[in-house]
Amino acid sequence: MCGITGYTGFNQAGPILLEGLKRLEYRGYDSAGIAVQDESEIKMLKATGKVSHLVEKFEATPDFTGVCGIGHTRWATHGIPSDTNAHPHLSADGKFAVVHNGIIENFAEIRAELQKYGIEFKSETDTEVIVQLLAYNYKGNFKMALMKTIARLEGSYAIGVISADHPGTILAARLSSPLIIGIGIGENYFASDITALVSNTKNVIDMDDGEVAEITPEEVKFYDHAGREINKEIRHITWDIASAEKSGYEHFMLKEIMEQPQALKATIEPRVKDESIVLDELNLDMKKFNRIHITACGSAYHAGCVGRGIIESLCRIPVEAEVASELRYRDPIMDEKTLVIVISQSGETADTIAAMKECRSKGATILAIVNVVGSSIAKLADYCLYTWAGPEIAVATTKGYTTQVVLLAMFAVWAAGEMKTISQGAYISMVKDIMRLPERAQRALDLNSRVKTMAEKYFDNSSLFFIGRNMDYAVALEGSLKLKEISYLHSEAYAAGELKHGTIALIEPGRLVVALCCYEKLLDKTISNIQQVKARGARVLAVAHEGNRAIFTEADDVLSVPVTDPLLVPVIEIIPLQLFAYYVAKKNGCDIDKPKNLAKSVTVE
Ligand code: F6R
């Protein structure tokens, strides 16, 4: 949820930390802070609100100097957003400062214990216990004190610590929260995400759970949980700084929507050879499974709802899709004959990780569909398929979602081939349609200016509905979420046939209903539902296939998208809805890339 970064080297740390925090701001943005170690003291600056407020404070503080420091941008979990609760947190003796991403579950117990020794706490955060306990444990050996401290912590953490007595040294540790070390020449870094480092170095080392890193300007040493030094491999990042910047777009979200043809291409092309889907990463005997569970959160769950339809249709195996936050506590019935597919853009979502562990404990095999290379979910899964979408910075996912859907479709075709539930002709036709998705996505993007006009027409609806059937319903879920999360308008997705069982009572003159009409097998039924809402005064914006003329007499406005296979409809149909959400939010003056109360990577329960 939060973003952390650190630097030690020969340059002033302040500007480097602030630059890193700006890039990490999508992970949380209710307050931010930096601390530097200078001479034998720790200097600290904090600001409530966005990183830009912290930058203003920094610019007004010329003596904020130091070549070793840590920084944090916060998404509040314990205690309101305020300067006091903002990280870094300082030990009572002023000797240590810490930044932390994650949750310390046993913080209350540790806090009470330390208070008994007379240690005073300043903030309401769980994080402060880390630094106070560290100072309490410190007997001259910085690393030993940290190892002793983390041995007491329960929950999740990625932490960075500096010490007034250890110039130039940063200690970092992780458990169930992402942490990456950046390797430079005479200077080294850490961050919760590569985006914070990529302008400085492309050589990174992924930290694993239980490990501690000792970072100095000259070298980085790694230790396992028992304090034994270990060797780690350097990974070279292939994408450049432009991928983490807006490249002339006003918002990351628009840039990422527009990048979908390339993202789809990157996900599809390496996996198709001679009209066959080749998933080298999967050495799976599909015949061993008698059911599939898909689990994820938010938009990734919506991708899972699409995946359920595609896999069931092609593989004729029962598939369930369930949000991870429910599945993890439901004691689900599954065993070694169950394949669990977990989907996550970030690969760090706490509920998804917990659901995955629960399923594993019941003997299920775990296949992950993940975007971030080396993320926790990718590492924990038995098998991993990467969506090669590139970095996704906007909080609302777009290319993350469409690449998840296409990868699920590719998996379904591949699995159907393995299980012999698909004819040769149908297999080849699906592969061809999948290969054409990037070009069709581009054509859907050509609707950009028309969608903008629609958004300008309908932006002031205070409450609206997305309806559809089958695949269209799965897309309605995602279209509605996209709109509400960035424009703050009330919006609901409904299976079109369910409206008459209650929700239709909310349809009144002028209410906007977005009707998804690309799943042509059920088009007549959806048209009946359009007529029902129109009869009650609703205005209808339809998304339909090019060539569908009938819809023009039913809906007030129509967005026509390229025709594709019914099972692949969601990849194309969601594109005008993403653009619609974007332009409605823009027209309403919302902060599109950083919607209120949300954060990109949800590493808390
Ligand atoms: C919505 C959105 C969220 C995420 C959800 C899961 O636009 O981005 O609903 O889809 O938090 O995140 P990941 O995919 O990182 O597990």
Side-chain angles (χ1 to χ4, degrees), residues 100-167:
H100 165 226
N101 174 27
I103 295 222
I104 305 304
E105 284 163 7
N106 59 338
F107 83 98
E109 175 194 317
I110 300 175
R111 187 181 172 120
E113 203 176 301
L114 292 171
Q115 278 168 334
K116 273 197 219 142
Y117 302 130
I119 295 168
E120 280 182 29
F121 282 76
K122 289 200 173 66
S123 76
E124 301 161 271
T125 65
D126 54 334
T127 300
E128 196 181 343
V129 300
I130 303 174
V131 74
Q132 303 291 17
L133 184 60
L134 177 77
Y136 178 78
N137 285 333
Y138 182 68
K139 305 283 179 275
N141 185 324
F142 189 15
K143 181 163 69 73
M144 286 296 284
L146 180 70
M147 305 269 326
K148 201 167 167 193
T149 301
I150 58 176
R152 272 297 305 279
L153 305 180
E154 287 166 21
S156 62
Y157 53 79
I159 50 186
V161 201
I162 52 173
S163 159
D165 292 344
H166 298 267

Side-chain angles (χ1 to χ4, degrees), residues 6-11 16 180-190 197-205 215-220 222 234-237:
Y7 169 82
T8 179
F10 48 84
N11 284 305
I16 295 171
I180 290 152
I181 307 296
I183 307 294
I185 298 170
E187 47 190 354
N188 290 308
Y189 313 78
F190 79 82
L197 305 176
V198 73
S199 59
N200 299 314
T201 177
K202 287 187 163 190
N203 293 322
V204 300
I205 297 176
I215 311 166
T216 59
E218 300 76 31
E219 62 178 350
V220 184
F222 294 91
I234 293 184
R235 177 160 68 91
H236 191 71
I237 306 165

Side-chain angles (χ1 to χ4, degrees), residues 546-562:
E546 286 167 354
N548 178 349
R549 296 225 172 81
I551 198 71
F552 283 86
T553 53
E554 305 293 344
D556 295 82
D557 290 290
V558 178
L559 294 167
S560 298
V561 293

